[in-house]
Amino acid sequence: MNKLFLRTLEGIVDDMERKIRRQHERLEHDERYMKQEQARVDNIRQERLDNLTSEIDGLLEKMSQAGSEGNVDEAQTMMKKVEQLRQEREVIKNSKNEDPANKVFLVKQNVPFINEMKHMEVCQVCGAFLVVNDTQTRVDAHLSGKQHVGYKMIREAIRELKVGLTPSFSLPLLTCLFLRSHDIWGRRSSTRKDSLSPQISLSLQGKG
């Protein structure tokens, strides 16, 4: 019975390990996407800076010519325009840009503000996406959540069963409740259902 129970739990964890690998692949894909997006934005930014510098230089040359010809009003008008363009250039120069090489992002369909994307990682226990350096309150909420706790219990039970120990808690019932609360039971194949140990099956029937 314990061997059948162990195989069932290992099947659940195998499914989760596949999900964790997919989550990591998604983050890697998103990081590549964001690097490309950041490069595109940087190119647009640099092109605008170059255009502003060229426009300022052109106005300064015209302003000098107007001054030498005695066109004071025209020269003053151009000087105001130069100051406006210089301010715009400084704003662009001083704008904060995140370095995508140091961040991993979850990509959305249309990203209006790259700097608002969050640095993410994958929980190695339950496969959830987590915000790196998140508040302790949110970290604690994740660690005490049903999904994380459930997978942690299952992983601990596997380790105990492999060395011949009896799990230190009523795992069959807790496992069934966990599977039901997260719809894992419904997603698993009928073959897996049939292969469950009598211990689990009885627990499920008792909760039906």
Side-chain angles (χ1 to χ4, degrees):
M1 184 179 296
N2 278 348
K3 288 183 178 179
L4 190 59
F5 187 41
L6 175 60
R7 286 200 299 271
T8 300
L9 297 185
E10 288 177 331
I12 295 172
V13 172
D14 287 343
D15 286 347
M16 175 49 61
E17 291 299 319
R18 283 191 288 272
K19 176 183 177 180
I20 289 173
R21 287 194 294 272
R22 290 195 299 270
Q23 301 287 61
H24 279 294
E25 290 170 358
R26 180 183 173 188
L27 286 182
E28 291 171 1
H29 172 271
D30 291 352
E31 181 180 11
R32 290 193 298 271
Y33 173 88
M34 289 308 299
K35 285 181 178 179
Q36 295 171 357
E37 186 68 10
Q38 187 69 63
R40 185 185 69 81
V41 171
D42 287 345
N43 288 337
I44 293 174
R45 177 174 175 271
Q46 187 58 51
E47 182 179 354
R48 180 55 182 160
L49 288 173
D50 293 342
N51 289 339
L52 285 170
T53 298
S54 177
E55 192 172 352
I56 289 170
D57 290 343
L59 282 172
L60 288 174
E61 184 176 346
K62 290 180 181 179
M63 188 176 66
S64 177
Q65 182 178 351
S68 64
E69 294 175 354
N71 297 325
V72 178
D73 291 341
E74 184 179 355
Q76 289 179 340
T77 299
M78 286 189 285
M79 186 61 193
K80 290 180 181 179
K81 180 63 175 176
V82 167
E83 288 303 317
Q84 291 175 355
L85 295 176
R86 282 174 172 169
Q87 289 178 8
E88 181 182 350
R89 185 173 63 180
E90 285 305 307
V91 169
I92 295 175
K93 283 183 177 179
N94 295 329
S95 62
K96 182 180 179 181
N97 285 282
E98 299 288 352
D99 181 2
N102 297 326
K103 301 190 77 175
V104 179
F105 303 89
L106 277 179
V107 170
K108 300 176 182 178
Q109 283 291 330
N110 296 305
V111 185
F113 303 107
I114 292 177
N115 293 341
E116 293 183 1
M117 303 303 286
K118 300 294 186 180
H119 184 185
M120 308 297 290
E121 62 184 355
V122 180
C123 176
Q124 293 301 113
V125 174
C126 67
F129 282 121
L130 305 173
V131 177
V132 174
N133 297 325
D134 206 352
T135 63
Q136 190 59 47
T137 300
R138 290 176 63 86
V139 172
D140 292 342
H142 169 74
L143 295 177
S144 61
K146 289 186 292 184
Q147 180 166 318
H148 183 90
V149 171
Y151 276 108
K152 182 180 179 182
M153 289 165 54
I154 291 173
R155 291 174 185 274
E156 290 174 352
I158 289 173
R159 287 192 290 270
E160 292 174 339
L161 288 169
K162 282 185 174 180
V163 296
L165 297 176
T166 300
S168 55
F169 42 80
S170 180
L171 186 65
L173 178 58
L174 291 174
T175 300
C176 295
L177 293 175
F178 169 72
L179 294 177
R180 281 192 163 192
S181 66
H182 292 277
D183 197 31
I184 297 173
W185 180 260
R187 295 198 300 268
R188 299 184 65 78
S189 67
S190 58
T191 302
R192 283 279 174 82
K193 289 183 182 180
D194 294 339
S195 69
L196 290 176
S197 70
Q199 198 173 11
I200 293 182
S201 299
L202 288 173
S203 296
L204 280 173
Q205 293 170 8
K207 293 293 175 180

